[in-house]
Amino acid sequence: MSEALASAKKARAALTAWLARPLTSLHIVLGVFGLLTLLGLVMVLSASSVESFEQVGSSYSVFRRQLLFCLAGLVVFWIGMRIPPKVLRALAPALLVGSVLLLALVLVPGVGQVRGGARSWFVVGPVSIQPAEIAKVALALWGAQVLAVRQRMIGNWRQLSPLLPVAMVMFTLIVVEPDLGTAISLAIVVYALLFFAGTPLRLLAALTLGGLVGAVVLGLSAGYRHSRIMSFLAPHDSDPLGAAYQAKQALYSLADGGLFGVGLGQGRAKWSYLPNAHNDFIYAIIGEELGMVGAVAVLVLFGLLAYVGLRIATRNTDPWLKLVVSTLTVWMVGQATINIGYVVGLLPVTGIPLPLVSSGGSALVTAMFVGGLLANAARHEPEAIAALRTHGQGRMARLLGLKLPEPYGARAPRSGAPSPRAPRDSRPPAQRSASSGRSSSGAGSSGRSGLAGGSSRRGGQKQVPGQRDPRRLPDQRGRR
C-alpha cells in the first residue's frame, strides 16, 4: 500500500512538473487536435464505406473528399499558427464584412445550393463551402476586438453595440436558410464573448431567457422541428419509424457496442439503418465499433481541449487574445456537447456536427484553423515567449517557418540581433560609487542618474546640460 502511495505521489509530482513547463499548452493543443483529426478520418472511412459503395461503386469516395479537406485544413492550421495576432486583429473587421456578404449571397437562388433542406452552400465543382462556418470565427475575432476595448465599461445594453446588432443580422440570415443548428452555434459564440468580457449577470440572464424563447419559437415553427421536439419530450408515444427513428437507431448502436465495441469496421448501423452515420451521428458509430472505451476517449479529448483552451486564455496577457481563445474553445466544446448530447438522447436532434470528427469539409477546415489559432496563442504565453527566445525554436518550428513570438505591448528585438547596452561609464570607481549613492536626489531618478553619470568628459563624451559634475563636489571620499 505504501509503495502504491509513493508511486502515486511520484506520478503526481511528474505531472505537476510537466504542466509547469512553458510549452505544455502548445503540446496539448497539438496532441488533442492531431488525435481528434486522425480519429475522424478513420471513423469517416468506416462509417461511410457502405453508403459510398452504394452511390458511386467505391467505398472510399467520401473518405477521399474528407482527406482532401484535411490536407487543406493542415494548410490553414499552419496559417493560423503562423500569422501574428496583431495582423489577425487588424484583419478581423474585413473578415466580418466578408462573412456577412457571403451569408447574404448564399440566399440568392442559383448562387446558393440547397442541401439537407437548407440553402447554405456554395458549390464550385467538387468543392462545397458553407459560409456560416467562416462567419462564426469572424464574429469571434471581431467581437473580441470590440469588447476588449470597452471591457471595463460594459454595464447596459447600449454599451453592447455594435456587437449585438451585427450578431442579430448574422443570426437572421442563418435562420432564413433555414439552419437552426448553425444558429445555435452562433449564439454560443456571442454568449461566450459576453461572458468572458465581464458582462453583468442581469444582462446575461436576459439574453439567456430571450434565446430560450426564440429557440422554442423557431423549433415549433417548422413541421420537422416540431416533430423532433415532440419525439424527444415524449419518446414512448412517438413513431419509431418517423421523427424518432434516427435518435432510436443511435441508441441501438451505442447499446450494441458494449464496453469494447464490435470492432472497427464491423458495425451494422451504417448498413442503411442509421441515416447520416458518417456526419451528425458519427459518435454512435464510434460507440458501436469502439465501445464505451472509444466513446469515453472522445469525451476525454474534448475535456482536454476545454482545459487547455481556458489555460491558454488565463496565461496570456493580451485582452483580445484572451477573449478569442476562450470564446473559440467554448464554441468547439459546446458544439461537441450538443452533438454528443442528442446522440445519447439527452437533447433533441439539431443537426450539429462533431468538430474534427464528423464528415464535412467546411466544418473540418474551420475547426483546424481554430486549432492553429489556439497553438499560436499558446506560443504567445509569456513563459513560452521567454523560453523560445532564450533556448530557440525546435527544428520542426524552423521548417514550418514559424517566427519567434513577440511579447504583448512591446516590440521584441529581432532574433540574433544584439541587445542594446547602456553607455559605458569611464569614470574611476570612486566617483561612480559616489554618484550612485546620490541617485535618489538631485536631477532625477536612478536610471537618469546612471545615464548622466556615463557622460564623463574624461571618457570623451559631452556632459548633459543642467547636470552637476560629480567630480566638482567636495570631499567625495568622506561621503563614501
Side-chain angles (χ1 to χ4, degrees), residues 414-441:
R414 291 176 299 175
S415 177
S419 57
R421 297 181 179 180
R424 184 177 179 181
D425 196 342
S426 58
R427 296 176 297 157
Q431 294 182 4
R432 289 200 302 267
S433 176
S435 177
S436 62
R438 295 188 303 275
S439 60
S440 59
S441 62

Side-chain angles (χ1 to χ4, degrees), residues 8-24:
K9 290 182 179 179
K10 290 182 179 179
R12 183 178 180 180
L15 178 62
T16 303
W18 181 71
L19 290 176
R21 297 176 62 180
L23 297 179
T24 297

Side-chain angles (χ1 to χ4, degrees), residues 61-426:
S61 62
V62 176
F63 171 73
R64 288 196 193 100
R65 186 168 62 248
Q66 187 76 357
L67 184 60
L68 291 176
F69 279 112
C70 183
L71 296 177
L74 290 176
V75 175
V76 299
F77 186 96
W78 172 76
I79 293 174
M81 192 174 180
R82 191 178 187 275
I83 186 171
K86 293 181 180 179
V87 176
L88 188 62
R89 184 173 183 176
L91 294 175
L95 291 176
L96 179 76
V97 173
S99 63
V100 173
L101 292 178
L102 290 177
L103 287 177
L105 188 62
V106 79
L107 297 176
V108 178
V111 178
Q113 300 295 322
V114 178
R115 289 189 176 184
R119 188 181 298 277
S120 57
W121 300 87
F122 292 117
V123 178
V124 182
V127 180
S128 57
I129 302 173
Q130 189 176 13
E133 296 293 334
I134 305 173
K136 289 182 282 189
V137 178
L139 181 62
L141 298 177
W142 176 78
Q145 179 178 353
V146 172
L147 295 177
V149 175
R150 57 184 74 181
Q151 192 169 4
R152 298 182 180 180
M153 302 184 297
I154 299 176
N156 53 51
W157 295 105
R158 187 176 301 175
Q159 293 167 346
L160 294 179
S161 61
L163 175 60
L164 288 185
V166 171
M168 285 302 300
V169 170
M170 301 174 72
F171 186 85
T172 303
L173 292 174
I174 293 175
V175 170
V176 170
E177 292 179 358
D179 191 348
L180 183 58
T182 303
I184 293 175
S185 298
L186 189 71
I188 293 176
V189 172
V190 176
Y191 195 90
L193 279 171
L194 297 177
F195 177 81
F196 289 108
T199 305
L201 292 179
R202 56 184 176 82
L203 297 183
L204 290 178
L207 285 174
T208 303
L209 180 60
L212 291 176
V213 172
V216 172
V217 171
L218 291 175
L220 299 177
S221 61
Y224 69 96
R225 295 176 191 159
H226 180 269
S227 301
R228 287 179 176 180
I229 294 177
M230 290 298 103
S231 65
F232 169 74
L233 296 176
H236 300 290
D237 300 332
S238 58
D239 183 8
L241 299 179
Y245 176 79
Q246 202 170 16
K248 289 186 179 294
Q249 290 297 324
L251 292 179
Y252 294 154
S253 301
L254 293 172
D256 289 343
L259 183 60
F260 297 105
V262 299
L264 185 63
Q266 303 301 315
R268 294 182 292 271
K270 59 192 176 186
W271 290 82
S272 301
Y273 290 103
L274 179 61
N276 293 324
H278 60 283
N279 196 340
D280 299 342
F281 282 83
I282 197 169
Y283 189 73
I285 304 300
I286 294 175
E288 181 186 20
E289 298 188 353
L290 303 182
M292 183 178 178
V293 174
V296 171
V298 174
L299 295 178
V300 171
L301 288 175
F302 278 104
L304 279 175
L305 177 59
Y307 163 76
V308 71
L310 297 180
R311 168 190 166 103
I312 294 171
T314 55
R315 291 164 69 95
N316 264 283
T317 55
D318 185 346
W320 176 79
L321 205 55
K322 293 166 74 74
L323 273 177
V324 168
V325 170
S326 56
T327 299
L328 293 178
T329 300
V330 169
W331 163 57
M332 291 197 65
V333 176
Q335 187 166 313
T337 302
I338 294 175
N339 176 274
I340 296 173
Y342 69 68
V343 170
V344 301
L346 296 177
L347 294 172
V349 178
T350 55
I352 295 178
L354 186 61
L356 297 169
V357 181
S358 293
S359 173
S362 299
L364 177 62
V365 172
T366 304
M368 295 187 73
F369 179 70
V370 170
L373 294 182
L374 294 183
N376 195 349
R379 285 167 47 86
H380 280 81
E381 293 180 4
E383 295 182 1
I385 294 175
L388 290 173
R389 289 192 165 272
T390 301
H391 305 289
Q393 301 189 108
R395 182 181 302 176
M396 182 59 66
R398 293 194 297 269
L399 289 176
L400 293 176
L402 301 181
K403 300 179 181 179
L404 284 172
E406 294 186 1
Y408 172 70
R411 184 177 296 275
R414 291 176 299 175
S415 177
S419 57
R421 297 181 179 180
R424 184 177 179 181
D425 196 342
S426 58

